[in-house]
Amino acid sequence: MSAEAPQERRTSVPGLTVTQDNEFFFTAAREGRLEIQRCGDCKTLRHPPAPACASCRSFAWDTVTASGRCTLHSWTVIHHPQDPAFTYPLAVGLVDLEEGTRLVADISGVDHDDLRLGMELEVGFAEHAHGEMLPQLRPVGGAA
Ligand SMILES: [Zn+2]
């Protein structure tokens, strides 16, 4: 057992794992769109992307473009452990998208003490480590 192992984990910044099932999501994010996977048979939305529908087991799917309007379902403020790809303390929220599924993303532009269950937020995009664009939750109509 090495005493240096935890330090190594803290300083590593993993890149995205892009697969044939999630490539659409990251391509759309680079273009500023939030695309959500939808079952081709029962039409159930699912996120994060997966190869099969959890409701009917179908492998058929397409996507819908989400509006980005959402409400805060839950959140946490992370202080530690820290990853060099983010700024701390880091608020991370779980939101209910108006289309009917959920998304996890970091929250920007809201004082952490002002976060409230059910508050309206919207999804924007921010550049993270390795240059990828990922969803970021922001105040409605606000610049983050
Ligand atoms: Zn289905």
Side-chain angles (χ1 to χ4, degrees):
M1 178 176 288
S2 169
E4 296 179 21
Q7 180 65 32
E8 293 169 14
R9 281 195 297 272
R10 279 197 300 269
T11 58
S12 65
V13 181
L16 297 175
T17 300
V18 179
T19 69
Q20 63 183 5
D21 294 312
N22 67 22
E23 184 178 18
F24 75 91
F25 180 82
F26 297 112
T27 299
R30 283 193 298 274
E31 298 168 356
R33 289 180 291 108
L34 179 61
E35 290 287 323
I36 300 295
Q37 199 175 29
R38 176 177 58 187
C39 176
D41 288 312
C42 76
K43 308 302 182 192
T44 298
L45 297 177
R46 62 180 185 258
H47 184 81
C53 176
S55 295
C56 74
R57 307 289 185 210
S58 172
F59 287 96
W61 58 270
D62 63 3
T63 65
V64 296
T65 303
S67 69
R69 288 186 290 272
C70 55
T71 56
L72 188 59
H73 185 89
S74 183
W75 79 94
T76 188
V77 178
I78 300 168
H79 295 267
H80 206 78
Q82 297 188 353
D83 182 307
F86 300 94
T87 302
Y88 295 86
L90 174 67
V92 176
L94 170 67
V95 292
D96 294 308
L97 298 173
E98 73 171 2
E99 287 78 11
T101 191
R102 291 181 176 157
L103 174 81
V104 173
D106 59 315
I107 302 171
S108 179
V110 182
D111 188 288
H112 298 166
D113 291 336
D114 294 335
L115 291 168
R116 297 289 181 268
L117 292 177
M119 73 184 295
E120 293 184 359
L121 295 170
E122 64 185 14
V123 178
F125 294 88
E127 185 173 347
H128 283 261
H130 304 297
E132 69 268 19
M133 299 298 286
L134 295 176
Q136 184 180 66
L137 304 170
R138 301 171 177 172
V140 175

